[in-house]
Amino acid sequence: MKTLCDPRELMARQGVDPNPNRDLILKVIASSSKAVTPKFILTAARKTRSIDKVTLYRILDLFVARRILRRMASVAGSLRYEIACAEHNPLHPHFVCRECGDMECLSDVDLSDVRERLNMKTKNLPEDIDLKLEGVCQKCSPRKRRRHEEK
Amino acid sequence: MKTLCDPRELMARQGVDPNPNRDLILKVIASSSKAVTPKFILTAARKTRSIDKVTLYRILDLFVARRILRRMASVAGSLRYEIACAEHNPLHPHFVCRECGDMECLSDVDLSDVRERLNMKTKNLPEDIDLKLEGVCQKCSPRKRRRHEEK
DNA sequence: AACAGCGTGCAACTGAGTTGCAATATAAAT
DNA sequence: ATTTATATTGCAACTCAGTTGCACGCTGTT
C-alpha cells in the first residue's frame, strides 16, 4: 500500500467504534506493505501493548464483517489481512509463495472486467473476487531455503 | 467435471506408479463434480478400504507435486482438491461459499488472458493462477443455516 | 446502587495437517 | 528363492491456527 489511510477515519466511515486495541491493530495492518498474518499482527502490536490472541481474532472478524479489512487464504500457512480502503488500497491480485506463504500485492491491476465476466457464470451471489498467482518467490527459490518466514 | 479421466492413465502420464491406495483416492476425486476436502475423500475411500489419514495426506502431496491434482485454499475450512487433467478438467475459476466452504466450479471460463496480463506484474515466477469468487451460496443464504457442510 | 451491554483475558478445546519411527510391502540383486 | 535395498503404510504423538465458554471488568442507564 502506498498512501496510509487513517485507521480512525476508516472505522468511523464503516461505523465501528474505536478503542485502544482496535486502533493499534488497524495501525499495524495499515502500516505494512503486504497482507499480514495474525501472528505478525500480534507480535507487532505487543511491542506497544499486551493483547490476547482471542481479542485479536475477534477484532479481525469484526473488521472483516464491516469491510474494513479483506481476508485472504492461501495454500501455505494462515489467513492474511489487508486494509480494504477503496481509495488507498483498491482490490488487487496477489502473488503467493508456496514455500513461505509471503504475499506480494500486484497493485495497479484492476479486476472489474474479470469480475463482470464471471458474475453471470454462477447462480450464487459473488461479493468479492480473489485472484492469486502462485509460485515460489525469489527469496525461496535459489536454494530452497525452507521457511524464511516473516519475523 | 464432465467427462471422467482415467486415474490409471493420469498417473502413467505424470510418471506416478499406481497402487491400491493411489488408485482409490484418485478415483474418489475424479468421480466428484466439485473440488473436495481430505475429510470427504477419506470418508468416501473408507467405504472401499481402510486408509489412514496420514497416507491420504502424503498421496495428496505427491499428486499435487506431480500435477495430477490442483490444490486450493479458501477462507472457510480446509484445502480442496480437484483433478488437474488439462483435457477433461481445464483450469477454471471457482465460487466459494463463506458459510459452508462449498466450491462450485465455473467451468468453461478460460483464464489464459488474465494470466498473461498478470505475469508481467511480478518479478517472481507464477506457476499457477487461482481465481475465486466469494460469497454466500444459495443453500446457506436463505436462513443462514449454519454449516450444511458436506456429508 | 443495581442493572444491562460490551470488550477483554484466560484456559481449555477443536480440527487440519505434520513428524518420527517402527512395521510392512514391493522391487531389485544375488 | 533368499537376501537386500527402497518405497509405502500405520500408529501415536505432536504442532499450529483458530474457536468456545465463562468469569471479570469497564462503560453507561435507570
Side-chain angles (χ1 to χ4, degrees):
Chain A
M1 210 174 16
K2 294 76 190 283
T3 331
L4 238 127
C5 20
D6 180 39
R8 269 312 183 45
E9 193 190 315
L10 237 170
M11 282 192 264
R13 210 194 312 174
Q14 301 299 113
V16 170
D17 295 331
N19 76 22
N21 284 338
R22 292 174 184 174
D23 292 351
L24 177 56
I25 289 171
L26 208 45
K27 204 186 96 194
V28 168
I29 301 171
S31 48
S32 165
S33 61
K34 304 182 167 192
V36 289
T37 60
K39 190 179 172 184
F40 174 88
I41 302 167
L42 210 51
T43 308
R46 280 179 175 158
K47 283 172 188 157
T48 304
R49 73 200 314 267
S50 127
I51 305 186
D52 190 79
K53 65 169 179 168
V54 180
T55 305
L56 170 63
Y57 281 116
R58 286 195 274 235
I59 291 177
L60 289 175
D61 283 348
L62 171 69
F63 284 168
V64 169
R66 294 307 193 76
R67 312 231 140 214
I68 288 173
L69 295 179
R70 282 189 285 263
R71 165 156 45 201
M72 290 160 300
S74 79
V75 290
S78 48
L79 299 175
R80 284 175 184 257
Y81 298 83
E82 66 178 13
I83 300 287
C85 172
E87 299 92 61
H88 298 95
N89 198 32
L91 190 64
H92 53 272
H94 294 85
F95 175 90
V96 188
C97 173
R98 289 213 178 91
E99 296 285 328
C100 64
D102 202 41
M103 259 190 205
E104 177 199 6
C105 297
L106 308 181
S107 307
D108 68 341
V109 179
D110 182 49
L111 295 180
S112 23
D113 60 318
V114 183
R115 202 163 173 168
E116 293 205 8
R117 236 169 89 195
L118 292 180
N119 273 356
M120 53 190 58
K121 292 290 181 180
T122 176
K123 278 120 286 170
N124 295 312
L125 305 158
E127 294 164 28
D128 280 307
I129 184 169
D130 179 16
L131 177 49
K132 292 203 231 25
L133 295 183
E134 288 182 19
V136 179
C137 77
Q138 295 187 309
K139 261 190 258 171
C140 290
S141 54
R143 295 206 133 272
K144 284 275 172 180
R145 175 161 28 123
R146 275 258 136 203
R147 306 261 118 200
H148 71 65
E149 199 51 71
E150 77 197 325
K151 315 91 214 162
Chain B
M1 213 175 11
K2 295 80 191 280
T3 330
L4 237 128
C5 23
D6 179 40
R8 269 308 184 45
E9 195 189 313
L10 237 168
M11 281 191 266
R13 209 195 313 173
Q14 302 299 113
V16 170
D17 295 331
N19 77 22
N21 284 337
R22 292 173 183 175
D23 292 351
L24 177 56
I25 289 171
L26 206 46
K27 205 187 94 195
V28 167
I29 301 170
S31 48
S32 164
S33 61
K34 304 182 167 191
V36 289
T37 61
K39 189 179 172 183
F40 174 88
I41 302 167
L42 210 52
T43 309
R46 280 179 175 160
K47 283 170 188 157
T48 305
R49 73 200 313 267
S50 127
I51 305 186
D52 189 80
K53 66 169 180 168
V54 180
T55 305
L56 171 62
Y57 281 115
R58 285 195 275 234
I59 292 178
L60 290 175
D61 284 347
L62 171 68
F63 284 169
V64 170
R66 293 306 193 78
R67 313 230 141 213
I68 289 174
L69 294 180
R70 283 189 284 263
R71 166 156 43 199
M72 290 160 300
S74 78
V75 289
S78 47
L79 299 174
R80 285 176 183 257
Y81 298 83
E82 67 178 13
I83 300 287
C85 171
E87 298 93 60
H88 298 96
N89 198 32
L91 190 64
H92 53 271
H94 294 86
F95 174 90
V96 188
C97 174
R98 290 214 177 91
E99 295 286 327
C100 64
D102 202 41
M103 258 191 206
E104 177 199 6
C105 296
L106 307 181
S107 306
D108 67 341
V109 179
D110 181 51
L111 295 180
S112 22
D113 59 317
V114 182
R115 200 162 174 169
E116 293 206 6
R117 237 169 86 196
L118 293 180
N119 272 357
M120 54 189 58
K121 292 291 180 178
T122 175
K123 278 120 286 171
N124 295 312
L125 304 158
E127 294 164 28
D128 280 307
I129 183 169
D130 179 15
L131 176 49
K132 293 205 239 6
L133 295 183
E134 288 183 17
V136 179
C137 77
Q138 295 187 311
K139 263 190 255 171
C140 289
S141 54
R143 293 207 133 269
K144 284 275 173 183
R145 176 161 26 123
R146 275 257 137 206
R147 307 261 118 200
H148 70 64
E149 201 50 70
E150 77 196 324
K151 316 92 215 163

